[in-house]
Amino acid sequence: DSGVTQTPKHLITATGQRVTLRCSPRSGDLSVYWYQQSLDQGLQFLIQYYNGEERAKGNILERFSAQQFPDLHSELNLSSLELGDSALYFCASSVEGFSPLHFGNGTRLTVT
Amino acid sequence: AQKVTQAQTEISVVEKEDVTLDCVYETRDTTYYLFWYKQPPSGELVFLIRRNSFDEQNEISGRYSWNFQKSTSSFNFTITASQVVDSAVYFCALSVFSQGAQKLVFGQGTRLTINP
């Protein structure tokens, strides 16, 4: 158990809808990362937050947004969903610097 | 730009064979870290090892060993006497620090199947 909690485990929704994925980092970790894993793109970095502030952005679409709250949990919001957004979304947390990222079990999103 | 290449998409071996997973990386940074993660069929990503760019010592942990060679920009992972439970997708990753943030770039992964 990595200590990172992601909910829900599975999400099935229709195109055009909006969903929210939630992540609770390991106790003591200030950084939260979001990754998307799809069959054709592999593991793609989306966005990182550190102690409530956005720290780095990767290949995150404008339809996607995220935030980290004062209690350090994070939410990833996906809107105007398309079939191609179907993927496994991982949240990871770390202490700082080059610390290893510890990943949650992921949320599997299916857009129909 | 940083890049990680895992040329082996899939490997299939019989139990008890030794198997090596290759990882080649590209970066212009002199300070970086390399990682290996395991993704078993259940889907979670499990951290296996971290190695910094200044430490080229090989590491052994039980049946697992890692060979880091800066001269060839490689960080290969060997499983000795493989077991069925080793079946998983293995990811190599490169981390550099840029603009105040750690950027972790993953390779495409190698799917390892250990057959009984």
Side-chain angles (χ1 to χ4, degrees):
Chain A
D1 183 5
S2 68
V4 178
T5 305
Q6 285 188 250
T7 55
K9 287 185 74 170
H10 301 277
L11 206 46
I12 301 174
T13 189
T15 53
Q17 295 298 305
R18 172 189 167 94
V19 297
T20 297
L21 282 53
R22 183 188 168 99
C23 169
S24 294
R26 287 191 324 162
S27 177
D29 286 357
L30 299 179
S31 281
V32 168
Y33 303 75
W34 286 97
Y35 279 81
Q36 179 193 58
Q37 184 179 29
S38 57
L39 283 174
D40 55 344
Q41 293 289 323
L43 272 160
Q44 296 287 313
F45 167 66
L46 295 178
I47 197 164
Q48 180 205 355
Y49 280 83
Y50 176 79
N51 203 21
E53 292 190 7
E54 182 184 302
R55 181 64 73 87
K57 248 182 178 176
N59 302 321
I60 188 166
L61 299 172
E62 284 192 15
R63 300 183 286 108
F64 296 180
S65 64
Q67 54 185 339
Q68 186 180 28
F69 295 87
D71 67 352
L72 300 178
H73 91 270
S74 179
E75 292 181 356
L76 179 66
N77 301 297
L78 314 176
S79 61
S80 302
L81 285 167
E82 301 175 359
L83 295 177
D85 297 327
S86 295
L88 189 52
Y89 290 84
F90 283 105
C91 168
S93 72
S94 73
V95 178
E96 181 56 302
F98 286 106
S99 304
L101 271 61
H102 295 273
F103 286 80
N105 289 340
T107 293
R108 183 167 296 282
L109 173 67
T110 303
V111 182
T112 61
Chain B
Q2 289 74 39
K3 186 178 177 182
V4 176
T5 301
Q6 295 179 254
Q8 305 149 310
T9 307
E10 293 191 34
I11 299 176
S12 181
V13 301
V14 177
E15 200 172 18
K16 295 183 185 173
E17 284 186 26
D18 298 348
V19 58
T20 295
L21 282 59
D22 297 333
C23 172
V24 174
Y25 62 92
E26 295 176 30
T27 181
R28 291 184 179 175
D29 290 72
T30 55
T31 301
Y32 53 88
Y33 278 72
L34 295 162
F35 299 81
W36 276 95
Y37 282 84
K38 173 182 179 179
Q39 187 175 35
S42 49
E44 71 273 25
L45 279 163
V46 180
F47 164 70
L48 294 178
I49 189 172
R50 178 184 68 169
R51 172 67 74 219
N52 76 56
S53 53
F54 300 108
D55 182 2
E56 288 193 69
Q57 273 195 329
N58 292 332
E59 179 151 345
I60 298 174
S61 176
R63 296 183 297 104
Y64 294 173
S65 63
W66 291 269
N67 179 249
F68 176 30
Q69 290 197 336
K70 264 175 112 166
S71 59
T72 56
S73 297
S74 65
F75 186 44
N76 297 336
F77 173 28
T78 297
I79 301 175
T80 304
S82 60
Q83 299 177 3
V84 173
V85 293
D86 295 326
S87 296
V89 180
Y90 290 86
F91 291 93
C92 179
L94 166 69
S95 178
V96 297
F97 217 74
S98 173
Q99 297 175 322
Q102 177 182 192
K103 294 183 185 296
L104 188 64
V105 175
F106 285 85
Q108 288 294 97
T110 296
R111 181 177 299 278
L112 176 64
T113 302
I114 310 296
N115 300 297

